[in-house]
Amino acid sequence: MQSLEAELTAARDLSIADLADAIESIGFECTRCGDCCTSHGDEAHTATVFPDEIRDLETAERGVDAAVRSGKTNLVPPPEDREWRDVARPMPYGLTEGADGLEGETFEWALQTDGCGDCAFYTEIDGTGACTAHDDRPLICRTYPFSVGLDGTSQPMGEAVDSVSLPGHEGDDEAGSVHAHECEGLGRDISRADAEALAATLKERAIRELEEAIGVRDSYEPVTPNAGEVVVHDSEGAKRLDGTPLEGD
């Protein structure tokens, strides 16, 4: 496995044209079914969100009054009342269930969910899925159902249902490929302009994931959480559930 720095260089060198070719060959059109924003069985919606994306969502306007029109106004307060915990929760991986709930250390933030396990920003209007912060949605949401296959990039969306190797990486899907994950919109026609726009965002996400991973690695200092306490390590250091730094305790 290459170093994260080498993978970051590879991500920065990705060709948007090659990524767009792969997206075009797979095909995609969003049907607004909502499957990528909702829970599945007992598994809550889990989507990685970076610290700066959380801050953007803290102040994001609720687009086209979607929350009001659907009646979903209680879970995501208006920007003037919104806090870190309204937007993000600790990634559950690595945490254990203690007497007072989840506890331990984890290394990412996930979008906050509602009581049904759906993304707190998801709603439905007349049976059609909608995001109440669509213009400020995180990179992982902007690029679903695609991901880039590089050693240092994460694959938080489950197993790939299709993969296309990028030029120079034929037969090596983990070192240079575009993965497609389960979505009813796959296989549909996509314009070249839309494929290139999606490819550019997909490249941005691959770079950001690696930059975040390097930041987490470089800022990580082990801590021993108290009983019932969760500590989240991100690229900015260790944080409490409300997003404030742990340092100084």
Side-chain angles (χ1 to χ4, degrees):
M1 178 179 291
Q2 298 185 68
S3 69
L4 291 176
E5 285 78 9
E7 290 297 317
L8 178 57
T9 297
R12 288 173 173 161
D13 288 342
L14 286 169
S15 163
I16 290 176
D18 290 343
L19 293 172
D21 286 345
I23 291 169
E24 269 192 304
S25 70
I26 294 171
F28 172 67
E29 180 185 15
C30 179
T31 65
R32 296 182 65 181
C33 66
D35 279 357
C36 61
C37 306
T38 54
S39 62
H40 295 274
D42 294 331
E43 186 176 346
H45 175 264
T46 304
T48 305
V49 59
F50 301 126
D52 63 308
E53 293 179 323
I54 298 172
R55 285 188 282 268
D56 287 343
L57 285 168
E58 279 188 281
T59 58
E61 292 296 333
R62 296 188 293 203
V64 295
D65 295 325
V68 176
R69 289 168 57 197
S70 67
K72 188 172 183 178
T73 58
N74 58 323
L75 290 173
V76 183
E80 61 270 19
D81 299 325
R82 198 175 304 156
E83 298 178 352
W84 185 281
R85 283 196 273 194
D86 296 318
V87 173
R89 64 189 177 98
M91 190 65 77
Y93 310 131
L95 302 180
T96 58
E97 189 70 37
D100 298 318
L102 290 176
E103 58 187 27
E105 293 180 276
T106 188
F107 294 87
E108 290 179 302
W109 296 96
L111 285 173
Q112 187 57 273
T113 54
D114 62 18
C116 297
D118 300 342
C119 176
F121 289 92
Y122 176 75
T123 190
E124 290 185 1
I125 301 174
D126 299 327
T128 301
C131 174
T132 61
H134 187 268
D135 291 344
D136 294 278
R137 67 197 189 282
L139 286 167
I140 194 169
C141 303
R142 294 176 184 270
T143 53
Y144 194 89
F146 296 101
S147 64
V148 174
L150 292 170
D151 286 342
T153 53
S154 65
Q155 302 297 331
M157 299 183 289
E159 294 294 325
V161 297
D162 199 357
S163 294
V164 175
S165 295
L166 298 172
H169 297 281
E170 284 75 9
D172 191 357
D173 282 346
E174 295 305 317
S177 61
V178 171
H179 297 315
H181 303 266
E182 188 172 355
C183 175
E184 71 172 34
L186 291 173
R188 298 169 183 257
D189 290 339
I190 184 171
S191 71
R192 182 64 185 185
D194 286 346
E196 289 178 347
L198 181 52
T201 308
L202 192 59
K203 177 178 178 176
E204 180 185 358
R205 176 183 151 205
I207 293 170
R208 289 291 309 282
E209 285 182 344
L210 286 156
E211 289 175 339
E212 179 72 12
I214 291 170
V216 171
R217 181 200 64 192
D218 292 347
S219 65
Y220 176 69
E221 294 184 7
V223 299
T224 303
N226 299 318
E229 181 183 35
V230 171
V231 175
V232 181
H233 298 273
D234 62 30
S235 58
E236 299 172 350
K239 291 190 174 83
R240 304 179 182 88
L241 291 181
D242 62 1
T244 58
L246 189 68
E247 62 187 21
D249 285 2

